[in-house]
Amino acid sequence: MLEILSLIRQDGDPRWCRSVPNWDRGPWLETLLGYRRARGNPRPRIISSHLPVQMFPKAFFGSKAKV
């Protein structure tokens, strides 16, 4: 999924996918390092998570984020 989203974000150009590691393109939200990387990435951000939907903050569901 990360590869597909990365290609969509770059209009199908695979150079970004080949040159930037997965953990920089779509860092994991549940780690402190991942959270910091995600905050530093330019918008629109790609963020990965393995958290169950019940553990996401309620504010997330009222935001404009696409899931």
Side-chain angles (χ1 to χ4, degrees):
M1 183 58 71
L2 180 60
E3 295 297 318
I4 293 168
L5 291 173
S6 297
L7 286 169
I8 290 171
R9 183 170 180 247
Q10 297 303 114
D11 296 322
D13 186 357
R15 287 181 289 178
W16 188 55
C17 299
R18 293 179 184 152
S19 63
V20 179
N22 284 346
W23 58 84
D24 280 338
R25 285 186 279 136
W28 283 18
L29 180 64
E30 51 262 42
T31 65
L32 184 57
L33 179 60
Y35 175 75
R36 288 180 179 157
R37 282 183 198 251
R39 298 273 314 210
N41 285 351
R43 292 177 185 228
R45 296 179 182 122
I46 299 173
I47 301 171
S48 301
S49 179
H50 288 102
L51 291 174
V53 71
Q54 299 87 351
M55 294 190 74
F56 275 77
K58 290 181 183 180
F60 172 79
F61 299 101
S63 72
K64 294 181 181 180
K66 294 182 178 160
V67 181

